[in-house]
Amino acid sequence: MAAKADRSGKPRGNLPPLELYVPEPKFRPGDAVDYSDLVIPPAGLQPRPDEGCAPAETHPLCLDLVRVLDDDNRAVGPWDPKLDAETLRRMLRVMALTRAFDDRMYRAQRQGKTSFYMKCTGEEAVSVSAAFALASDDMVFPSYRQQGILIARGYPLVEMVNQIYSNRADRMKGRQLPVMYSARDFGFFTISGNLATQYPQAVGWAMASAIKGDTRIAASWIGEGSSAEGDFHAALTFAAVYNAPVVLNVVNNQWAISSFSGFAGAERTTFAARAIGYGVAGLRVDGNDALAVYAAVRWAADRARANKGPTLIEHFTYRAEGHSTSDDPAAYRSAQERDEWPLGDPIMRLKRHLIAIGEWSVERHEAMDREVAEQVKAASKEAEKSGILGHGLHHPFKTMFEDVFEELPWHLEEQAEQAIRERRIKWPDWKE
Amino acid sequence: MAGLEGVMTQEEAPVSLAEAPTRRLNMIEAINDALDIMLERDANTVIMGEDVGFFGGVFRATAGLQKRYGKNRVFDTPISECGIIGAAVGMAAYGLRPVPEIQFADYIYPGLDQLVSEAARLRYRSAGEFIAPITVRAPFGGGIFGGQTHSQSPEALFTHVAGLKTVVPSTPHDAKGLLIAAIEDNDPVIFFEPKRIYNGPFDGYYDRPATPWSRHDGSVVPEGYYSIPLGKARIVREGAAMTVLAYGTMIHVAEAVLREKGVDAEIIDLRTLVPIDVETVEKSVEKTGKCLVIHEATRTSGYGAELVALVQERCFYHLEAPVERVTGFDTPYPHSLEWAYFPGPVRIGEAVDRLLAAG
Ligand SMILES: Cc1ncc(C[n+]2csc(CCOP(=O)(O)OP(=O)(O)O)c2C)c(N)n1
């Protein structure tokens, strides 16, 4: 029998000691930002394989960046979806509306009308263009930053504000944190606060659609930070095994609260490239290029609908604002990043494109901005009639106990009685 | 000062900590101080978690520590609670003493298998060859309008697991001493920090101005190293009318209610849920003959059920009334109806009245 090994961790000749590598973002608060070593390939050069291609054929695209809008604001190359001007203007309007909505709700939180809010500033294309590329009856499983999908699908703004204010008219009955919408009639799955759970669920919905011989597909979105969760990897494995008709989007907005994308593995390879190891098609796309996002999601949707399998799409973008109203990004990243971001702003880029092709003008854009701001204002005024958070106009107390189960068991009946008794003592003027 | 019983400093123990220089800290600062001291004292201590490094944690509990101890000792992790706890188990197998932070207790579930099947049983299944001296810190509890995923109190899921210790502090003073003891403990400890009282001792009256810790005795924190042994409760206030068993935020709510009602109750802060200081509980209930159990967590199969069972098993012939249990309701934590959900002064007051009227 061999002698027992020495397990004290002795030096090994000339080998240096092991070292732990801990990623560090390039820029911290106060740093000058220089993105010159970020590889941004010119628009139009990326090949567009057939939607039915083998997953491995997409490997080069996982390391590239699908781009359509060039530096002269023209749509170029094989990924140009060739959308008509009317569709482009609608897309632009929904993105502008989404941004106006975010701005107003952010201020509403600051004014104490609700507890919390999350903007998607700079990432509007990732949800809005994708919603345009999917069929309106396809099922989406979003994270908390895809309000653009709901708006694109025509969900009433006033319902969104009701949810954010947790008021009496809130369809979620004041139960959920603001922005955690649910809209079954709009093919929009209830948003979870627990990261990444939606990913395998989208795959499951897609599998169900396949089991039933349906024609609808599923799509999901996840932040790059959340792609570290096990759910992400379970989703990709299931999607690959069952060739599920699903479009899996990773929104790489560079930051996960204070952690940069390196903490999800971005320094080693792209998020799109993960697809290849699972045998899933992958695309990496300029997430601030509304046309490229549309083209990529459309490619993946057509592929899924033709029974050719799932696609993982990395949308390369930038979180222009804080993580949420609870966060001040000045504490961990350079304020210059936003201004220097080489892929610009998705709304500005689509606007310039429409102007370049003679289908839009600065005046029309300004008029549109005023209109969407008015639209949001009207919706929030309307919602305020049903109350704001903490000002009494809540749902009846009994609703707190409903929907835990289909029927109220005896112990919840008892607890509901207790709650109502307490209410009479605590808030004698309350009217149900 | 109350709360110093059982406190030992390592070198010069037993010492009267009352003589150690003190500072007034809030609970976050006290936790930060404990982590700082353990990083300093023990080169095997490492801190890891989402946003804990450069940023210092979303509640700032690890602020400044990466700068002081370097990225080998204090580092950010990918967003994977399974990875965080699993890696901590591996580090512990090497001989380190990891102190992972889970950003909110509500997000601990992806790490459950690594905690329940692995960390908790490593010692048992390897007959002591491998141990998991890990302290998992996580903010827990409601009262901040965090909705159902930033408000939960899942302590009973962990007290139910053989091999895990569970600790909940209620003051900055205790938070520091208990956290140091938890890190030094050779078994895995779940350390739940009641986030509602990070900045001040919340008394349950959400519509009154908040009090800062600086006006509370529990914010007087000795400088330097000290530990409060796990498994030792603290008698917050002596009394004869009834025994109140609670922990975390509910200590302060209970104190306020009983003070207002002028009830001579004995309030026991359990501090450690497993292993529980059953002797202190027994002695008190034998003296008072009445017992009220309070927690914020949901009721059914909550930790209160364990307390009620222990009290009736061990003190049955001293009881003059059925043990009362005040808890959160058996629903997810609601957003807009937060203060209807929270087991506040009215719910506690009714239970106190019932106990006073009985027997
Ligand atoms: C399971 C789980 N762990 C941790 C959190 C806390 N948390 C909320 S958002 C977030 C960052 C997510 O970043 P990313 O996935 O990149 O999405 P982004 O916010 O950038 O859109 C974290 C850590 C959570 N909600 N759920």
Side-chain angles (χ1 to χ4, degrees), chain A residues 22 28 115 166 174 194 229 258-259 263 415 421-422 426-427, chain B residues 51 54 71 78-79 81 106 149 206 330 335-336 339 347 350:
Chain A
V22 180
R28 286 298 192 188
S115 54
S166 253
N194 297 62
E229 293 281 8
S258 79
S259 306
F263 279 101
Q415 292 176 20
R421 191 168 65 243
E422 289 178 19
K426 286 195 270 193
W427 299 285
Chain B
D51 302 295
F54 182 88
K71 292 202 293 183
I79 303 174
E81 293 74 15
D106 315 60
T149 57
Y206 63 91
D330 284 325
H335 181 246
S336 66
W339 297 118
R347 204 171 310 158
E350 284 190 347

PDB file of all heavy atoms in Angstrom, chain A residues 22 28 115 166 174 194 229 258-259 263 415 421-422 426-427, chain B residues 51 54 71 78-79 81 106 149 206 330 335-336 339 347 350:
ATOM      1  N   VAL A  22     -10.187  37.341  -8.978  1.00  0.00           N
ATOM      2  CA  VAL A  22     -11.494  37.959  -8.713  1.00  0.00           C
ATOM      3  C   VAL A  22     -11.685  39.083  -9.735  1.00  0.00           C
ATOM      4  O   VAL A  22     -10.888  40.019  -9.777  1.00  0.00           O
ATOM      5  CB  VAL A  22     -11.581  38.520  -7.281  1.00  0.00           C
ATOM      6  CG1 VAL A  22     -12.944  39.160  -7.040  1.00  0.00           C
ATOM      7  CG2 VAL A  22     -11.328  37.421  -6.254  1.00  0.00           C
ATOM      8  N   ARG A  28     -14.331  52.534 -12.319  1.00  0.00           N
ATOM      9  CA  ARG A  28     -15.006  52.770 -11.042  1.00  0.00           C
ATOM     10  C   ARG A  28     -15.368  54.249 -10.950  1.00  0.00           C
ATOM     11  O   ARG A  28     -14.934  55.037 -11.795  1.00  0.00           O
ATOM     12  CB  ARG A  28     -14.081  52.353  -9.890  1.00  0.00           C
ATOM     13  CG  ARG A  28     -13.938  50.843  -9.701  1.00  0.00           C
ATOM     14  CD  ARG A  28     -15.258  50.178  -9.360  1.00  0.00           C
ATOM     15  NE  ARG A  28     -15.074  48.801  -8.896  1.00  0.00           N
ATOM     16  CZ  ARG A  28     -16.079  47.961  -8.676  1.00  0.00           C
ATOM     17  NH1 ARG A  28     -17.334  48.345  -8.872  1.00  0.00           N
ATOM     18  NH2 ARG A  28     -15.848  46.740  -8.252  1.00  0.00           N
ATOM     19  N   SER A 115     -43.680  52.446  -3.314  1.00  0.00           N
ATOM     20  CA  SER A 115     -42.508  52.040  -2.548  1.00  0.00           C
ATOM     21  C   SER A 115     -41.260  51.854  -3.404  1.00  0.00           C
ATOM     22  O   SER A 115     -40.142  51.920  -2.889  1.00  0.00           O
ATOM     23  CB  SER A 115     -42.811  50.715  -1.846  1.00  0.00           C
ATOM     24  OG  SER A 115     -43.261  49.751  -2.804  1.00  0.00           O
ATOM     25  N   SER A 166     -50.301  49.946  -6.130  1.00  0.00           N
ATOM     26  CA  SER A 166     -50.898  48.945  -5.239  1.00  0.00           C
ATOM     27  C   SER A 166     -52.280  49.403  -4.775  1.00  0.00           C
ATOM     28  O   SER A 166     -52.640  49.225  -3.615  1.00  0.00           O
ATOM     29  CB  SER A 166     -50.003  48.729  -4.007  1.00  0.00           C
ATOM     30  OG  SER A 166     -49.334  47.502  -4.063  1.00  0.00           O
ATOM     31  N   GLY A 174     -52.909  44.493  -4.901  1.00  0.00           N
ATOM     32  CA  GLY A 174     -51.964  45.099  -3.964  1.00  0.00           C
ATOM     33  C   GLY A 174     -51.001  44.110  -3.341  1.00  0.00           C
ATOM     34  O   GLY A 174     -50.333  44.424  -2.365  1.00  0.00           O
ATOM     35  N   ASN A 194     -37.975  36.405  -7.591  1.00  0.00           N
ATOM     36  CA  ASN A 194     -36.843  35.479  -7.502  1.00  0.00           C
ATOM     37  C   ASN A 194     -36.244  35.299  -8.886  1.00  0.00           C
ATOM     38  O   ASN A 194     -36.915  34.834  -9.805  1.00  0.00           O
ATOM     39  CB  ASN A 194     -37.302  34.131  -6.941  1.00  0.00           C
ATOM     40  CG  ASN A 194     -37.815  34.268  -5.524  1.00  0.00           C
ATOM     41  OD1 ASN A 194     -38.791  34.967  -5.278  1.00  0.00           O
ATOM     42  ND2 ASN A 194     -37.147  33.636  -4.596  1.00  0.00           N
ATOM     43  N   GLU A 229     -27.639  31.748 -12.220  1.00  0.00           N
ATOM     44  CA  GLU A 229     -28.503  30.851 -11.430  1.00  0.00           C
ATOM     45  C   GLU A 229     -28.648  29.491 -12.120  1.00  0.00           C
ATOM     46  O   GLU A 229     -28.663  29.400 -13.360  1.00  0.00           O
ATOM     47  CB  GLU A 229     -29.902  31.463 -11.255  1.00  0.00           C
ATOM     48  CG  GLU A 229     -29.942  32.724 -10.404  1.00  0.00           C
ATOM     49  CD  GLU A 229     -29.882  32.450  -8.900  1.00  0.00           C
ATOM     50  OE1 GLU A 229     -29.665  31.297  -8.478  1.00  0.00           O
ATOM     51  OE2 GLU A 229     -30.058  33.429  -8.143  1.00  0.00           O
ATOM     52  N   SER A 258     -24.572  46.150  -8.328  1.00  0.00           N
ATOM     53  CA  SER A 258     -23.216  46.714  -8.367  1.00  0.00           C
ATOM     54  C   SER A 258     -22.209  45.787  -9.029  1.00  0.00           C
ATOM     55  O   SER A 258     -21.030  46.103  -9.103  1.00  0.00           O
ATOM     56  CB  SER A 258     -22.739  47.006  -6.935  1.00  0.00           C
ATOM     57  OG  SER A 258     -22.298  45.805  -6.313  1.00  0.00           O
ATOM     58  N   SER A 259     -22.671  44.601  -9.466  1.00  0.00           N
ATOM     59  CA  SER A 259     -21.719  43.609 -10.000  1.00  0.00           C
ATOM     60  C   SER A 259     -21.692  43.691 -11.520  1.00  0.00           C
ATOM     61  O   SER A 259     -22.728  43.594 -12.166  1.00  0.00           O
ATOM     62  CB  SER A 259     -22.137  42.202  -9.577  1.00  0.00           C
ATOM     63  OG  SER A 259     -22.291  42.140  -8.173  1.00  0.00           O
ATOM     64  N   PHE A 263     -18.850  39.074 -13.315  1.00  0.00           N
ATOM     65  CA  PHE A 263     -19.253  38.134 -12.262  1.00  0.00           C
ATOM     66  C   PHE A 263     -20.276  37.120 -12.748  1.00  0.00           C
ATOM     67  O   PHE A 263     -20.713  36.256 -11.983  1.00  0.00           O
ATOM     68  CB  PHE A 263     -19.733  38.885 -11.017  1.00  0.00           C
ATOM     69  CG  PHE A 263     -18.589  39.342 -10.176  1.00  0.00           C
ATOM     70  CD1 PHE A 263     -18.151  40.651 -10.215  1.00  0.00           C
ATOM     71  CD2 PHE A 263     -17.889  38.432  -9.392  1.00  0.00           C
ATOM     72  CE1 PHE A 263     -17.052  41.057  -9.480  1.00  0.00           C
ATOM     73  CE2 PHE A 263     -16.786  38.822  -8.645  1.00  0.00           C
ATOM     74  CZ  PHE A 263     -16.366  40.142  -8.688  1.00  0.00           C
ATOM     75  N   GLN A 415     -58.108  33.445  10.384  1.00  0.00           N
ATOM     76  CA  GLN A 415     -57.127  34.539  10.343  1.00  0.00           C
ATOM     77  C   GLN A 415     -57.718  35.772   9.667  1.00  0.00           C
ATOM     78  O   GLN A 415     -57.401  36.905  10.051  1.00  0.00           O
ATOM     79  CB  GLN A 415     -55.844  34.058   9.653  1.00  0.00           C
ATOM     80  CG  GLN A 415     -55.106  33.007  10.489  1.00  0.00           C
ATOM     81  CD  GLN A 415     -53.874  32.433   9.799  1.00  0.00           C
ATOM     82  OE1 GLN A 415     -53.324  33.011   8.874  1.00  0.00           O
ATOM     83  NE2 GLN A 415     -53.430  31.268  10.259  1.00  0.00           N
ATOM     84  N   ARG A 421     -61.076  42.114  12.476  1.00  0.00           N
ATOM     85  CA  ARG A 421     -61.275  42.639  13.833  1.00  0.00           C
ATOM     86  C   ARG A 421     -60.183  43.683  14.145  1.00  0.00           C
ATOM     87  O   ARG A 421     -60.467  44.758  14.664  1.00  0.00           O
ATOM     88  CB  ARG A 421     -61.237  41.494  14.846  1.00  0.00           C
ATOM     89  CG  ARG A 421     -61.697  41.914  16.225  1.00  0.00           C
ATOM     90  CD  ARG A 421     -61.933  40.728  17.152  1.00  0.00           C
ATOM     91  NE  ARG A 421     -60.708  40.009  17.446  1.00  0.00           N
ATOM     92  CZ  ARG A 421     -60.478  38.747  17.105  1.00  0.00           C
ATOM     93  NH1 ARG A 421     -61.403  38.055  16.448  1.00  0.00           N
ATOM     94  NH2 ARG A 421     -59.343  38.168  17.414  1.00  0.00           N
ATOM     95  N   GLU A 422     -58.950  43.357  13.797  1.00  0.00           N
ATOM     96  CA  GLU A 422     -57.850  44.299  14.044  1.00  0.00           C
ATOM     97  C   GLU A 422     -58.051  45.591  13.264  1.00  0.00           C
ATOM     98  O   GLU A 422     -57.746  46.680  13.744  1.00  0.00           O
ATOM     99  CB  GLU A 422     -56.506  43.673  13.635  1.00  0.00           C
ATOM    100  CG  GLU A 422     -56.060  42.565  14.558  1.00  0.00           C
ATOM    101  CD  GLU A 422     -54.750  41.925  14.094  1.00  0.00           C
ATOM    102  OE1 GLU A 422     -54.013  42.528  13.293  1.00  0.00           O
ATOM    103  OE2 GLU A 422     -54.473  40.784  14.530  1.00  0.00           O
ATOM    104  N   LYS A 426     -57.722  49.295  14.530  1.00  0.00           N
ATOM    105  CA  LYS A 426     -56.625  50.138  14.047  1.00  0.00           C
ATOM    106  C   LYS A 426     -57.117  51.266  13.158  1.00  0.00           C
ATOM    107  O   LYS A 426     -56.579  52.357  13.167  1.00  0.00           O
ATOM    108  CB  LYS A 426     -55.622  49.286  13.248  1.00  0.00           C
ATOM    109  CG  LYS A 426     -54.758  48.394  14.111  1.00  0.00           C
ATOM    110  CD  LYS A 426     -53.560  47.846  13.335  1.00  0.00           C
ATOM    111  CE  LYS A 426     -53.885  46.533  12.661  1.00  0.00           C
ATOM    112  NZ  LYS A 426     -52.693  45.834  12.161  1.00  0.00           N
ATOM    113  N   TRP A 427     -58.073  50.957  12.308  1.00  0.00           N
ATOM    114  CA  TRP A 427     -58.552  51.948  11.339  1.00  0.00           C
ATOM    115  C   TRP A 427     -60.084  52.002  11.403  1.00  0.00           C
ATOM    116  O   TRP A 427     -60.769  51.523  10.502  1.00  0.00           O
ATOM    117  CB  TRP A 427     -58.102  51.568   9.928  1.00  0.00           C
ATOM    118  CG  TRP A 427     -56.611  51.511   9.748  1.00  0.00           C
ATOM    119  CD1 TRP A 427     -55.761  52.569   9.653  1.00  0.00           C
ATOM    120  CD2 TRP A 427     -55.799  50.331   9.619  1.00  0.00           C
ATOM    121  NE1 TRP A 427     -54.463  52.125   9.477  1.00  0.00           N
ATOM    122  CE2 TRP A 427     -54.461  50.766   9.452  1.00  0.00           C
ATOM    123  CE3 TRP A 427     -56.067  48.955   9.623  1.00  0.00           C
ATOM    124  CZ2 TRP A 427     -53.399  49.871   9.298  1.00  0.00           C
ATOM    125  CZ3 TRP A 427     -55.008  48.076   9.470  1.00  0.00           C
ATOM    126  CH2 TRP A 427     -53.693  48.521   9.322  1.00  0.00           C
TER     127      TRP A 427
ATOM    128  N   ASP B  51     -22.768  41.416  -4.419  1.00  0.00           N
ATOM    129  CA  ASP B  51     -22.573  42.853  -4.158  1.00  0.00           C
ATOM    130  C   ASP B  51     -21.890  43.160  -2.820  1.00  0.00           C
ATOM    131  O   ASP B  51     -21.943  44.294  -2.354  1.00  0.00           O
ATOM    132  CB  ASP B  51     -23.925  43.611  -4.231  1.00  0.00           C
ATOM    133  CG  ASP B  51     -24.604  43.434  -5.570  1.00  0.00           C
ATOM    134  OD1 ASP B  51     -24.051  43.901  -6.570  1.00  0.00           O
ATOM    135  OD2 ASP B  51     -25.692  42.803  -5.624  1.00  0.00           O
ATOM    136  N   PHE B  54     -16.722  45.470  -3.483  1.00  0.00           N
ATOM    137  CA  PHE B  54     -16.473  46.906  -3.662  1.00  0.00           C
ATOM    138  C   PHE B  54     -17.613  47.748  -3.091  1.00  0.00           C
ATOM    139  O   PHE B  54     -17.401  48.742  -2.410  1.00  0.00           O
ATOM    140  CB  PHE B  54     -16.297  47.200  -5.154  1.00  0.00           C
ATOM    141  CG  PHE B  54     -15.984  48.628  -5.453  1.00  0.00           C
ATOM    142  CD1 PHE B  54     -14.675  49.082  -5.456  1.00  0.00           C
ATOM    143  CD2 PHE B  54     -17.000  49.543  -5.729  1.00  0.00           C
ATOM    144  CE1 PHE B  54     -14.373  50.413  -5.733  1.00  0.00           C
ATOM    145  CE2 PHE B  54     -16.713  50.881  -5.997  1.00  0.00           C
ATOM    146  CZ  PHE B  54     -15.396  51.308  -5.997  1.00  0.00           C
ATOM    147  N   LYS B  71      -9.243  41.305  -1.975  1.00  0.00           N
ATOM    148  CA  LYS B  71     -10.248  40.538  -2.710  1.00  0.00           C
ATOM    149  C   LYS B  71     -10.136  39.030  -2.492  1.00  0.00           C
ATOM    150  O   LYS B  71     -11.017  38.283  -2.895  1.00  0.00           O
ATOM    151  CB  LYS B  71     -10.147  40.854  -4.207  1.00  0.00           C
ATOM    152  CG  LYS B  71     -10.568  42.277  -4.514  1.00  0.00           C
ATOM    153  CD  LYS B  71     -10.984  42.445  -5.963  1.00  0.00           C
ATOM    154  CE  LYS B  71      -9.795  42.268  -6.886  1.00  0.00           C
ATOM    155  NZ  LYS B  71     -10.161  42.503  -8.296  1.00  0.00           N
ATOM    156  N   PRO B  78     -20.978  35.440  -8.345  1.00  0.00           N
ATOM    157  CA  PRO B  78     -22.075  35.365  -9.309  1.00  0.00           C
ATOM    158  C   PRO B  78     -23.415  35.268  -8.569  1.00  0.00           C
ATOM    159  O   PRO B  78     -23.451  34.884  -7.390  1.00  0.00           O
ATOM    160  CB  PRO B  78     -21.783  34.077 -10.083  1.00  0.00           C
ATOM    161  CG  PRO B  78     -20.308  33.860  -9.925  1.00  0.00           C
ATOM    162  CD  PRO B  78     -19.990  34.363  -8.537  1.00  0.00           C
ATOM    163  N   ILE B  79     -24.487  35.625  -9.271  1.00  0.00           N
ATOM    164  CA  ILE B  79     -25.828  35.538  -8.671  1.00  0.00           C
ATOM    165  C   ILE B  79     -26.274  34.085  -8.730  1.00  0.00           C
ATOM    166  O   ILE B  79     -26.972  33.662  -9.648  1.00  0.00           O
ATOM    167  CB  ILE B  79     -26.812  36.465  -9.390  1.00  0.00           C
ATOM    168  CG1 ILE B  79     -26.294  37.905  -9.353  1.00  0.00           C
ATOM    169  CG2 ILE B  79     -28.199  36.374  -8.738  1.00  0.00           C
ATOM    170  CD1 ILE B  79     -27.134  38.873 -10.155  1.00  0.00           C
ATOM    171  N   GLU B  81     -27.206  31.441  -5.549  1.00  0.00           N
ATOM    172  CA  GLU B  81     -27.170  31.090  -4.130  1.00  0.00           C
ATOM    173  C   GLU B  81     -26.724  29.651  -3.958  1.00  0.00           C
ATOM    174  O   GLU B  81     -26.070  29.302  -2.968  1.00  0.00           O
ATOM    175  CB  GLU B  81     -28.550  31.324  -3.502  1.00  0.00           C
ATOM    176  CG  GLU B  81     -28.953  32.801  -3.447  1.00  0.00           C
ATOM    177  CD  GLU B  81     -29.349  33.407  -4.789  1.00  0.00           C
ATOM    178  OE1 GLU B  81     -29.593  32.620  -5.741  1.00  0.00           O
ATOM    179  OE2 GLU B  81     -29.404  34.640  -4.903  1.00  0.00           O
ATOM    180  N   ASP B 106     -35.264  35.690   1.488  1.00  0.00           N
ATOM    181  CA  ASP B 106     -36.206  35.218   0.466  1.00  0.00           C
ATOM    182  C   ASP B 106     -35.492  34.581  -0.723  1.00  0.00           C
ATOM    183  O   ASP B 106     -36.131  33.920  -1.538  1.00  0.00           O
ATOM    184  CB  ASP B 106     -37.015  36.405  -0.047  1.00  0.00           C
ATOM    185  CG  ASP B 106     -37.512  37.319   1.063  1.00  0.00           C
ATOM    186  OD1 ASP B 106     -36.678  37.869   1.815  1.00  0.00           O
ATOM    187  OD2 ASP B 106     -38.725  37.470   1.200  1.00  0.00           O
ATOM    188  N   THR B 149     -41.198  39.069  -1.782  1.00  0.00           N
ATOM    189  CA  THR B 149     -39.851  38.514  -1.949  1.00  0.00           C
ATOM    190  C   THR B 149     -38.766  39.350  -1.266  1.00  0.00           C
ATOM    191  O   THR B 149     -37.584  39.183  -1.558  1.00  0.00           O
ATOM    192  CB  THR B 149     -39.490  38.323  -3.435  1.00  0.00           C
ATOM    193  OG1 THR B 149     -39.621  39.580  -4.103  1.00  0.00           O
ATOM    194  CG2 THR B 149     -40.388  37.306  -4.088  1.00  0.00           C
ATOM    195  N   TYR B 206     -45.985  51.640  13.095  1.00  0.00           N
ATOM    196  CA  TYR B 206     -45.384  52.093  11.841  1.00  0.00           C
ATOM    197  C   TYR B 206     -45.731  53.541  11.529  1.00  0.00           C
ATOM    198  O   TYR B 206     -45.079  54.189  10.730  1.00  0.00           O
ATOM    199  CB  TYR B 206     -45.863  51.200  10.687  1.00  0.00           C
ATOM    200  CG  TYR B 206     -47.347  51.301  10.478  1.00  0.00           C
ATOM    201  CD1 TYR B 206     -47.871  52.234   9.602  1.00  0.00           C
ATOM    202  CD2 TYR B 206     -48.231  50.507  11.216  1.00  0.00           C
ATOM    203  CE1 TYR B 206     -49.237  52.376   9.448  1.00  0.00           C
ATOM    204  CE2 TYR B 206     -49.586  50.645  11.075  1.00  0.00           C
ATOM    205  CZ  TYR B 206     -50.088  51.583  10.190  1.00  0.00           C
ATOM    206  OH  TYR B 206     -51.431  51.734  10.055  1.00  0.00           O
ATOM    207  N   ASP B 330     -51.012  33.095   7.536  1.00  0.00           N
ATOM    208  CA  ASP B 330     -50.533  32.043   6.629  1.00  0.00           C
ATOM    209  C   ASP B 330     -50.752  32.411   5.159  1.00  0.00           C
ATOM    210  O   ASP B 330     -51.376  31.672   4.390  1.00  0.00           O
ATOM    211  CB  ASP B 330     -51.240  30.724   6.945  1.00  0.00           C
ATOM    212  CG  ASP B 330     -50.676  30.083   8.194  1.00  0.00           C
ATOM    213  OD1 ASP B 330     -49.453  30.214   8.428  1.00  0.00           O
ATOM    214  OD2 ASP B 330     -51.442  29.458   8.951  1.00  0.00           O
ATOM    215  N   HIS B 335     -48.087  43.344  -0.148  1.00  0.00           N
ATOM    216  CA  HIS B 335     -47.425  44.645  -0.307  1.00  0.00           C
ATOM    217  C   HIS B 335     -48.251  45.766   0.316  1.00  0.00           C
ATOM    218  O   HIS B 335     -47.864  46.350   1.322  1.00  0.00           O
ATOM    219  CB  HIS B 335     -47.171  44.904  -1.801  1.00  0.00           C
ATOM    220  CG  HIS B 335     -46.482  46.205  -2.077  1.00  0.00           C
ATOM    221  ND1 HIS B 335     -47.088  47.237  -2.750  1.00  0.00           N
ATOM    222  CD2 HIS B 335     -45.247  46.633  -1.768  1.00  0.00           C
ATOM    223  CE1 HIS B 335     -46.238  48.260  -2.841  1.00  0.00           C
ATOM    224  NE2 HIS B 335     -45.116  47.917  -2.265  1.00  0.00           N
ATOM    225  N   SER B 336     -49.439  46.034  -0.235  1.00  0.00           N
ATOM    226  CA  SER B 336     -50.176  47.210   0.251  1.00  0.00           C
ATOM    227  C   SER B 336     -50.750  46.989   1.658  1.00  0.00           C
ATOM    228  O   SER B 336     -50.872  47.924   2.432  1.00  0.00           O
ATOM    229  CB  SER B 336     -51.300  47.579  -0.719  1.00  0.00           C
ATOM    230  OG  SER B 336     -52.276  46.573  -0.750  1.00  0.00           O
ATOM    231  N   TRP B 339     -49.237  46.396   6.820  1.00  0.00           N
ATOM    232  CA  TRP B 339     -49.483  46.649   8.243  1.00  0.00           C
ATOM    233  C   TRP B 339     -50.724  45.928   8.755  1.00  0.00           C
ATOM    234  O   TRP B 339     -50.963  45.875   9.957  1.00  0.00           O
ATOM    235  CB  TRP B 339     -49.514  48.144   8.544  1.00  0.00           C
ATOM    236  CG  TRP B 339     -48.162  48.707   8.243  1.00  0.00           C
ATOM    237  CD1 TRP B 339     -47.851  49.657   7.319  1.00  0.00           C
ATOM    238  CD2 TRP B 339     -46.915  48.285   8.817  1.00  0.00           C
ATOM    239  NE1 TRP B 339     -46.498  49.854   7.279  1.00  0.00           N
ATOM    240  CE2 TRP B 339     -45.892  49.039   8.186  1.00  0.00           C
ATOM    241  CE3 TRP B 339     -46.554  47.342   9.786  1.00  0.00           C
ATOM    242  CZ2 TRP B 339     -44.542  48.885   8.499  1.00  0.00           C
ATOM    243  CZ3 TRP B 339     -45.215  47.192  10.104  1.00  0.00           C
ATOM    244  CH2 TRP B 339     -44.225  47.947   9.471  1.00  0.00           C
ATOM    245  N   ARG B 347     -52.679  42.831  17.618  1.00  0.00           N
ATOM    246  CA  ARG B 347     -52.742  41.361  17.712  1.00  0.00           C
ATOM    247  C   ARG B 347     -52.069  40.873  19.003  1.00  0.00           C
ATOM    248  O   ARG B 347     -52.568  40.000  19.699  1.00  0.00           O
ATOM    249  CB  ARG B 347     -52.066  40.733  16.488  1.00  0.00           C
ATOM    250  CG  ARG B 347     -52.556  39.324  16.185  1.00  0.00           C
ATOM    251  CD  ARG B 347     -52.034  38.828  14.834  1.00  0.00           C
ATOM    252  NE  ARG B 347     -52.272  39.821  13.791  1.00  0.00           N
ATOM    253  CZ  ARG B 347     -51.585  39.874  12.647  1.00  0.00           C
ATOM    254  NH1 ARG B 347     -50.638  38.992  12.385  1.00  0.00           N
ATOM    255  NH2 ARG B 347     -51.852  40.815  11.758  1.00  0.00           N
ATOM    256  N   GLU B 350     -54.264  41.804  22.128  1.00  0.00           N
ATOM    257  CA  GLU B 350     -55.406  40.904  22.367  1.00  0.00           C
ATOM    258  C   GLU B 350     -54.961  39.624  23.065  1.00  0.00           C
ATOM    259  O   GLU B 350     -55.635  39.125  23.972  1.00  0.00           O
ATOM    260  CB  GLU B 350     -56.066  40.537  21.026  1.00  0.00           C
ATOM    261  CG  GLU B 350     -56.919  41.647  20.454  1.00  0.00           C
ATOM    262  CD  GLU B 350     -57.740  41.172  19.265  1.00  0.00           C
ATOM    263  OE1 GLU B 350     -57.466  40.068  18.738  1.00  0.00           O
ATOM    264  OE2 GLU B 350     -58.648  41.909  18.870  1.00  0.00           O
TER     265      GLU B 350
END
